Amino acid sequence: MAKDDNLPLFETKLAKGRILFQFYSLLIFVGTCFIFAYRLSHIPAKGEPGRWAWMGLFFSELWFCFYWFATTVVRWNPIYRNTFKDRLSHRYEKALPGVDIFVCTADPVIEAPVMVINTVLSVMAYDYPPEKLSVYLSDDGGSDLTFYAMLEASRFSKIWLPFCKKFKIEPRSPEAYFRTAVEPLGEPVLAKEWSTVKVLYEDMKKRVENTTKLGQISEEISKEHKGFNEWILGASRDDHQTILQILIDGRDSEAVDIQGQPLPTLVYLAREKRTQYHHHFKAGAMNALIRVSSRISNSPIILNVDCDMYSNNSKSVRDALCFFMDEEKGNEVGFIQFPQAFENITKNDVYSSSLNVIMELELPGFDGNGGPCYIGTGCFHRREILSGKKYKKNYKADWKRWSNRSAEESTSVLEETSKVLASFSYEENTQWGKEIGLKYNCAVEDVLTGLTIQCRGWRSIYFNPERKGFLGVAPTTLLQSLVQHKRWSEGDFYIFASRNCPFVLGYKKIPLKLQLSYCIYLLWAPTSLTTLYYATVPSLCLLRGISLFPQISDSWVLTFAFVIFLHRAYSLGECIWFGGTFKGWWNDQRMWLYKRTSSYFFGLLDYILKRLGFTKSAFVITTKVANDDVSQRYEQEVMEFGTSSPMFTILATLALLNAFSFFGGLKKLIADLETLVWERFALQILLCGLLVLINLPVYQGLFFRKDVASLPTSVSYQSTIFALLVCAIALY
Ligand SMILES: *[C@@H]1O[C@H](CO)[C@@H](O)[C@H](O)[C@H]1NC(C)=O
Ligand SMILES: *[C@@H]1O[C@H](CO)[C@@H](O)[C@H](O)[C@H]1NC(C)=O
Ligand SMILES: CC(=O)N[C@H]1CO[C@H](CO)[C@@H](O)[C@@H]1O
């Protein structure tokens, strides 16, 4: 036995510079105490104007302080992980477990089939024994176009996989690879094969795109595979029988690539859908996949990725196994979450969609507090935990006893017997969606499912390698970004306000610091109210002539200045540290405000309306394809409005309201140079001015831009009227 046989398969490191952060937190804490002391000792007397506004402000500050406390708990103790893949393969190469990979897509128009198969090909090409890999595509769009693309992918994989392995290329999504790779002219062998494969890929892409554009399968193509018959029988998007096709059966001795090596199993699934039944969106699709795969391959490890997230690192499976198979700590690990990273981020990240601080700092912080949440994609699970298994001391994974399939069972028999598992009736009156599988009836089923798993005693691990494991496409318009956050905030608040609240569900099951950590996302929605308050009331009071902050000559002003300055300076530092720019930070501040005043506010409204029984939940997928104009504006970092949406009306109203108040305040200042207006209102004018500054793109969109992506005139009218109305009410 070699002596490294006892060494762990992964290591954990503490973040550096925690002392500095702790010192900073202490300063903020003391500063905030002073602010509260000021608020309490200076409450306007009964009958004086502004008493209620003052109380509201005090309450908002209390709330912000609590929220800040939760974000500090998250940042207190971030940890970082590192794996030793060489030790893994040295010890376990022959005994590696099977891995099932789920890719979910929901709409052939929004999620282009070419993108979907690129993701599928990238995960088929993992550096892992192919006979142990099975890739499942769940197509909730139930589209023959996607099926056709998968058929093409299954053929192309026979060339692509050996090519990847022979030349060890990265990344293994053909589109991403050929987009960035330079032709290897120096190496004749590679160069020849390289251009052949490239041409073959481009041809296939053309065929898939042509068919997608046409919107239907030609008769010639439909003769190529028996699977197309399912659509001839009449399958529409929301009403069809289960369609299950095993495109490559890894057990089949003929399923080999052009070099005679085995291929991963590849399965296409469109679960049964009937218009009269609720199908539970992605959670329903995942649960159908869990059942179907348990019949076909039943691997002990499941990876799930969204269809726009290709694998950027062919070793990610091995990374994940280093955690699961570690002899000492591996057995308590339930799931391993990789970060969500994007390749479409522009330099200054206008919509703040890189989620950098969340991925680089907050989730490592969760890990330090007991384990990251599950974020729905790029996550490896143990199959058992998805069937509701509780962690027990001395649990030991058995990586062998898995396959349910008898040796002589043919592919078509297997297809038939697996189909029932994806049918509707199968779930009726069972625990699926409740105790087993992913949870239903929540817009962020992933977070809820992850929390439940943690409460069953399993540890989760966050693994964020330098080279990202998965790369996706970030929202490229303002509305997409706002709508996405609306759904998240609504679902998150739903969890908080239900019996699944971390403080209730997790009581004595997960550490208190982890329960608190969850709050920073679960409480997004209510944070909208205090933000709205802070963004309107001080400005309106300025207009009205009510002072809410200390005079500039008063020493109390120092505490406000100190806390605000330090807090923002820290945030700027954090942003720059994780690879941002100053402008990127400024954009992030704007998006912080916009998300809180529109997305989270509407998320809260939606939650309340749903509770009162008014609206049904609808899962809105954010578009992953953009037309050329939109992409161009995105690349130039010009803010995209273009349509009228209540969210834009709110944003524009707030922007105008602050502009009016700001100019009203200035007017007072100039008219009354004697009477110390500046003295009394300095902080309010400053706050209002900052809000105006941050809203510059909105004024541009309202008045100065003429392109199609400016704010529509209807929004301009509405917001102007609303803003004037509110100002008038405040004045009289
Ligand atoms: C795709 O369609 C174009 C015209 O729409 C045609 O010229 C081209 O040959 C088609 N390509 C393939 C691969 O079918
Ligand atoms: C993706 O992988 C490539 C190498 O294949 C690497 O150069 C690149 O940095 C990776 N991207 C990210 C965001 O990590
Ligand atoms: C949807 C979208 O905008 N996709 C773009 C992502 O970024 C790549 C490279 O920067 C573009 O080629 C895509 O069009």
Side-chain angles (χ1 to χ4, degrees):
M1 275 210 164
K3 78 169 186 308
D4 78 344
D5 270 10
N6 300 320
L7 294 175
L9 295 177
F10 71 92
E11 65 175 358
T12 305
K13 284 195 198 130
L14 294 178
K16 293 193 193 96
R18 283 184 310 151
I19 287 287
L20 271 178
F21 176 76
Q22 289 165 1
F23 182 60
Y24 148 82
S25 309
L26 187 73
L27 287 180
I28 293 275
F29 178 71
V30 173
T32 328
C33 290
F34 274 101
I35 291 185
F36 291 151
Y38 169 76
R39 284 275 171 240
L40 285 174
S41 58
H42 288 72
I43 304 176
K46 261 205 190 107
E48 244 182 81
R51 189 175 157 88
W52 288 110
W54 187 280
M55 300 286 206
L57 219 54
F58 178 49
F59 177 77
S60 300
E61 280 157 2
L62 277 178
W63 176 264
F64 283 134
C65 180
F66 165 73
Y67 196 81
W68 169 81
F69 176 68
T71 60
T72 305
V73 169
V74 172
R75 283 161 170 71
W76 202 251
N77 188 27
I79 55 177
Y80 297 90
R81 313 278 192 174
N82 197 5
T83 57
F84 302 105
K85 294 186 279 288
D86 47 339
R87 292 181 194 162
L88 176 83
S89 69
H90 182 186
R91 250 174 264 171
Y92 294 113
E93 189 63 41
K94 290 270 147 43
L96 290 173
V99 177
D100 286 350
I101 304 176
F102 298 169
V103 181
C104 296
T105 181
D107 188 320
V109 178
I110 293 178
E111 301 170 328
V114 170
M115 179 182 78
V116 175
I117 58 172
N118 266 289
T119 302
V120 167
L121 284 166
S122 76
V123 294
M124 284 176 83
Y126 268 126
D127 173 15
Y128 202 73
E131 64 278 9
K132 289 181 177 168
L133 280 182
S134 310
V135 179
Y136 296 81
L137 179 82
S138 156
D139 179 19
D140 262 3
S143 161
D144 48 355
L145 301 173
T146 309
F147 178 68
Y148 168 65
M150 283 292 283
L151 182 62
E152 287 281 359
S154 71
R155 292 175 186 150
F156 183 64
S157 67
K158 297 182 182 172
I159 303 155
W160 181 243
L161 268 48
F163 175 71
C164 289
K165 285 175 188 168
K166 189 162 161 201
F167 299 107
K168 299 207 162 29
I169 64 152
E170 294 279 354
R172 296 191 171 178
S173 140
E175 181 71 36
Y177 174 70
F178 287 120
R179 188 169 60 223
T180 49
V182 254
E183 196 170 347
L185 290 169
E187 302 158 70
V189 193
L190 174 57
K192 183 146 170 288
E193 222 171 311
W194 195 90
S195 41
T196 325
V197 174
K198 184 166 189 218
V199 168
L200 285 171
Y201 171 67
E202 304 274 322
D203 283 351
M204 175 193 75
K205 184 178 164 189
K206 263 270 146 53
R207 286 196 298 277
V208 173
E209 280 180 344
N210 269 9
T211 318
T212 311
K213 212 186 273 166
L214 213 60
Q216 63 186 40
I217 300 296
S218 71
E219 230 166 81
E220 280 158 63
I221 295 178
S222 69
K223 287 198 193 99
E224 288 174 19
H225 196 278
K226 66 177 180 15
F228 290 109
N229 291 334
E230 304 267 359
W231 280 273
I232 294 172
L233 294 174
S236 80
R237 196 196 146 111
D238 299 312
D239 196 82
H240 58 79
Q241 74 289 8
T242 301
I243 304 172
L244 186 144
Q245 295 290 326
I246 301 179
L247 289 163
I248 299 175
D249 183 355
R251 289 277 189 86
D252 190 344
S253 53
E254 281 163 39
V256 288
D257 64 26
I258 49 167
Q259 297 193 333
Q261 297 300 313
L263 285 166
T265 298
L266 181 65
V267 178
Y268 171 91
L269 171 71
R271 64 194 164 118
E272 182 184 21
K273 277 200 176 172
R274 298 296 170 204
T275 32
Q276 66 271 35
Y277 293 109
H278 194 25
H279 53 82
H280 300 295
F281 310 111
K282 191 172 154 192
M286 285 283 292
N287 286 346
L289 282 173
I290 292 172
R291 293 192 298 269
V292 165
S293 65
S294 74
R295 180 76 184 77
I296 296 176
S297 47
N298 202 35
S299 304
I301 303 289
I302 291 174
L303 159 67
N304 84 286
V305 289
D306 282 349
C307 66
D308 65 331
M309 290 229 127
Y310 66 85
S311 148
N312 196 47
N313 185 344
S314 64
K315 304 238 190 269
S316 297
V317 175
R318 289 171 184 269
D319 279 321
L321 287 177
C322 284
F323 296 105
F324 284 125
M325 300 187 85
D326 183 73
E327 291 82 357
E328 200 190 320
K329 302 201 191 96
N331 283 317
E332 58 175 17
V333 175
F335 65 88
I336 290 146
Q337 179 65 59
F338 280 63
Q340 222 171 335
F342 306 98
E343 58 170 355
N344 267 64
I345 304 297
T346 52
K347 180 156 163 271
N348 299 313
D349 194 9
V350 238
Y351 304 123
S352 178
S353 30
S354 72
L355 309 179
N356 246 353
V357 170
I358 296 186
M359 297 302 158
E360 305 292 325
L361 182 61
E362 293 184 349
L363 288 181
F366 267 72
D367 202 357
N369 287 349
C373 45
Y374 165 40
I375 53 175
T377 177
C379 188
F380 290 83
H381 283 275
R382 255 180 226 281
R383 179 180 287 275
E384 290 161 297
I385 65 164
L386 288 176
S387 5
K389 192 182 172 81
K390 285 202 173 74
Y391 175 72
K392 290 208 187 65
K393 257 210 152 64
N394 304 328
Y395 162 82
K396 213 158 164 20
D398 173 6
W399 301 112
K400 294 206 189 75
R401 69 164 170 100
W402 284 90
S403 179
N404 284 340
R405 184 177 170 189
S406 68
E408 58 274 11
E409 195 169 32
S410 74
T411 313
S412 52
V413 171
L414 187 62
E415 270 174 7
E416 284 311 313
T417 51
S418 312
K419 248 183 202 173
V420 273
L421 300 175
S423 70
F424 231 100
S425 47
Y426 193 85
E427 276 191 0
E428 258 174 346
N429 304 320
T430 64
Q431 287 298 313
W432 281 96
K434 297 180 195 120
E435 290 303 315
I436 309 180
L438 273 79
K439 297 253 184 184
Y440 291 159
N441 303 325
C442 175
V444 287
E445 75 289 337
D446 40 8
V447 178
L448 180 54
T449 306
L451 176 64
T452 315
I453 291 170
Q454 290 175 331
C455 291
R456 288 193 189 120
W458 299 95
R459 181 83 167 76
S460 60
I461 296 255
Y462 184 64
F463 183 58
N464 182 11
E466 185 83 8
R467 195 169 110 210
K468 299 293 177 247
F470 304 92
L471 285 182
V473 185
T476 50
T477 71
L478 179 60
L479 195 60
Q480 278 172 21
S481 179
L482 293 180
V483 167
Q484 194 181 47
H485 272 86
K486 176 180 151 217
R487 179 166 65 82
W488 289 344
S489 67
E490 191 226 309
D492 283 344
F493 189 59
Y494 169 85
I495 298 176
F496 188 84
S498 70
R499 67 195 156 81
N500 293 316
C501 174
F503 294 117
V504 179
L505 189 68
Y507 180 66
K508 291 203 168 154
K509 296 199 179 113
I510 56 175
L512 181 64
K513 53 187 180 177
L514 186 59
Q515 299 169 16
L516 266 169
S517 303
Y518 267 99
C519 286
I520 66 169
Y521 305 132
L522 302 194
L523 290 180
W524 267 341
T527 305
S528 66
L529 296 180
T530 49
T531 312
L532 273 170
Y533 191 89
Y534 233 89
T536 51
V537 172
S539 309
L540 291 173
C541 284
L542 172 66
L543 205 59
R544 180 84 199 240
I546 299 171
S547 165
L548 292 174
F549 292 92
Q551 294 193 7
I552 196 86
S553 55
D554 194 337
S555 51
W556 284 109
V557 101
L558 289 177
T559 58
F560 280 89
F562 175 75
V563 169
I564 294 169
F565 178 77
L566 188 62
H567 191 244
R568 287 303 84 198
Y570 169 77
S571 134
L572 174 64
E574 206 174 75
C575 180
I576 304 266
W577 181 259
F578 293 111
T581 58
F582 178 78
K583 221 171 153 198
W585 172 76
W586 184 244
N587 288 333
D588 183 59
Q589 304 298 295
R590 180 181 308 116
M591 284 308 291
W592 182 93
L593 180 72
Y594 288 5
K595 281 178 206 157
R596 273 157 188 76
T597 50
S598 62
S599 309
Y600 301 166
F601 180 61
F602 280 106
L604 186 65
L605 277 188
D606 255 23
Y607 169 78
I608 295 170
L609 287 179
K610 240 177 253 175
R611 264 292 143 108
L612 299 177
F614 285 121
T615 41
K616 279 239 167 68
S617 60
F619 188 93
V620 188
I621 330 169
T622 28
T623 324
K624 309 277 161 63
V625 279
N627 70 34
D628 291 346
D629 287 348
V630 176
S631 299
Q632 203 185 356
R633 279 190 292 271
Y634 176 66
E635 248 131 66
Q636 291 166 349
E637 308 198 318
V638 174
M639 203 158 251
E640 178 90 20
F641 302 104
T643 49
S644 51
S645 146
M647 300 228 210
F648 291 162
T649 310
I650 278 219
L651 294 183
T653 307
L654 283 176
L656 288 175
L657 188 151
N658 276 294
F660 295 155
S661 306
F662 183 65
F663 289 112
L666 280 190
K667 195 169 142 249
K668 269 206 187 103
L669 194 74
I670 294 163
D672 265 322
L673 278 178
E674 254 77 301
T675 54
L676 304 179
V677 172
W678 168 248
E679 271 273 295
R680 292 181 56 218
F681 290 103
L683 277 188
Q684 257 157 292
I685 293 181
L686 225 62
L687 177 65
C688 199
L690 272 176
L691 285 169
V692 170
L693 210 58
I694 214 157
N695 273 315
L696 284 181
V698 174
Y699 307 125
Q700 275 171 357
L702 279 173
F703 306 119
F704 304 113
R705 274 167 58 185
K706 292 278 173 291
D707 56 317
V708 287
S710 60
L711 275 161
T713 29
S714 61
V715 174
S716 313
Y717 287 135
Q718 282 169 9
S719 54
T720 315
I721 293 172
F722 287 149
L724 283 175
L725 211 68
V726 175
C727 288
I729 293 173
L731 271 177
Y732 301 106

